[in-house]
Amino acid sequence: QEYTGIKLQVIEWSKEAQNVLGSIEELKDKHIYFIAATLRPETMYGQTNCFVGTGLTYGLYKINETDVFLCTYRAARNMAFQGFSSERGVVHQLAEIKGTALIGTKVKAPLSVYERVYILPMENVLATKGTGVVTSVPSDSPDDYTALQDLKKKPDYYKIDPSWAAFDPVPIIDTPAYGNLAAPTVCQQKKINSQKDRVQLAEAKEIVYKEGFYNGIMLVGDYKGKQVQEAKPLVKNLLVSTGQGFVYNEPEGLVMSRSG
Ligand code: ZZB
């Protein structure tokens, strides 16, 4: 599985993260990035937030003299075999932190129309997939749309400040069947009410993915007017060539056997 790793730079830590990480000397003056794994680089214009799993633990890993990546240990280890560490296969962990402590951290999401977005909680983040960090595009991902709606409806329950979730989905891809906000449209049609509606969400994801990929037209950004299929590798190259992203492979068989 080939992912694009997206680098979301930390602008300001949440209070809790500041407490855990603030005194760590090796993190001072470093560029620290949440690393999200995506299969849809062309949708990055519509990022409204970034999700972490509340039950997951993350590490901060030294990549080189200036950069630190935040992701699961599993992902850091895979990356260490793909050139993201000074010594092949060796991870250099600087700190560890729980997903819940990261919520409310302010980051810069590459290409997003929003200047700054927040780290927010999602219930269904898989520890065994990607980096455990999931950047959120509610316009074109039913999972993201539903999780963000849940947060907007119940900020107290999810222990977030409402302002962190106060970002509207951005029309970034036009589709003949579901218009320019395909995920919200399909979620409404299927009457999906919460991120706990797993079965319907899986169906919605399949539908939205196919329609966007095969019939979608870019409405924004550097490849506005182009078909999604055509824009996808171009946006990926743009992210990589500007240092805002990188190509990351997940050895699927290996992942399955390790995660058990
Ligand atoms: C941005 C994005 C925009 C995504 C979109 C999807 C969509 P798949 O096909 O099942 O492999 N993802 C990545 N890592 C995780 C994780 N650890 N736990 C849960 N979800 C994760 O799904 C790949 C997608 O799953 C990735 O691409 C990522 O979300 C999410 F408009 O990144 B995507 C219709 C889907 N649209």
Side-chain angles (χ1 to χ4, degrees):
Q1 189 75 287
E2 187 184 287
Y3 286 103
T4 302
I6 304 294
K7 295 161 70 179
L8 296 98
Q9 186 167 8
V10 173
I11 305 299
E12 194 183 340
W13 289 117
S14 65
K15 275 202 199 94
E16 218 179 321
Q18 181 60 31
N19 288 341
V20 178
L21 306 171
S23 60
I24 299 173
E25 207 51 44
E26 281 171 289
L27 295 176
K28 298 233 163 82
D29 305 319
K30 293 294 193 299
H31 301 296
I32 305 179
Y33 302 95
F34 281 74
I35 304 299
T38 182
L39 297 175
R40 306 287 310 273
E42 75 282 7
T43 66
M44 294 299 100
Y45 299 100
Q47 293 172 91
T48 57
N49 64 283
C50 175
F51 290 116
V52 292
T54 45
L56 272 62
T57 297
Y58 296 86
L60 286 89
Y61 300 96
K62 179 175 174 173
I63 299 304
N64 55 41
E65 290 315 310
T66 53
D67 295 355
V68 173
F69 284 5
L70 190 157
C71 57
T72 55
Y73 172 79
R74 216 196 106 252
R77 191 159 180 282
N78 283 338
M79 285 178 207
F81 283 105
Q82 294 173 43
F84 299 93
S85 72
S86 46
E87 203 183 328
R88 194 184 137 77
V90 178
V91 293
H92 188 155
Q93 182 168 309
L94 302 174
E96 201 175 83
I97 187 163
K98 293 209 182 306
T100 46
L102 296 166
I103 292 161
T105 296
K106 198 194 278 185
V107 296
K108 167 88 185 88
L111 303 182
S112 173
V113 301
Y114 293 114
E115 246 327 87
R116 302 286 180 260
V117 299
Y118 291 87
I119 302 297
L120 295 173
M122 176 153 87
E123 289 168 22
N124 304 306
V125 176
L126 301 169
T128 50
K129 183 165 153 180
T131 57
V133 175
V134 183
T135 198
S136 167
V137 185
S139 56
D140 293 273
S141 164
D143 288 306
D144 299 349
Y145 174 69
T146 307
L148 187 59
Q149 285 295 109
D150 285 349
L151 296 172
K152 288 184 193 207
K153 281 187 264 182
K154 295 200 252 171
D156 294 341
Y157 175 81
Y158 288 103
K159 301 192 182 77
I160 65 155
D161 184 309
S163 69
W164 301 343
F167 293 78
D168 290 327
V170 187
I172 54 167
I173 290 171
D174 196 27
T175 69
Y178 308 111
N180 62 18
L181 289 173
T185 302
V186 171
C187 287
Q188 269 142 33
Q189 284 178 5
K190 292 178 96 54
K191 301 195 165 48
I192 295 173
N193 285 319
S194 105
Q195 59 193 301
K196 296 191 200 312
D197 298 345
R198 299 311 302 154
V199 174
Q200 284 156 293
L201 275 170
E203 290 169 10
K205 177 176 179 176
E206 179 83 14
I207 293 170
V208 172
Y209 182 81
K210 285 209 177 115
E211 179 67 4
F213 187 73
Y214 293 108
N215 303 322
I217 304 284
M218 298 299 298
L219 288 173
V220 296
D222 308 79
Y223 304 104
K224 186 175 164 173
K226 283 201 191 299
Q227 292 186 351
V228 165
Q229 288 178 68
E230 214 182 325
K232 183 175 185 135
L234 297 172
V235 177
K236 180 196 221 165
N237 290 344
L238 173 71
L239 286 160
V240 173
S241 66
T242 54
Q244 300 179 96
F246 55 89
V247 174
Y248 158 62
N249 286 286
E250 187 150 282
E252 239 166 330
L254 204 58
V255 168
M256 298 291 281
S257 65
R258 273 213 210 106
S259 59

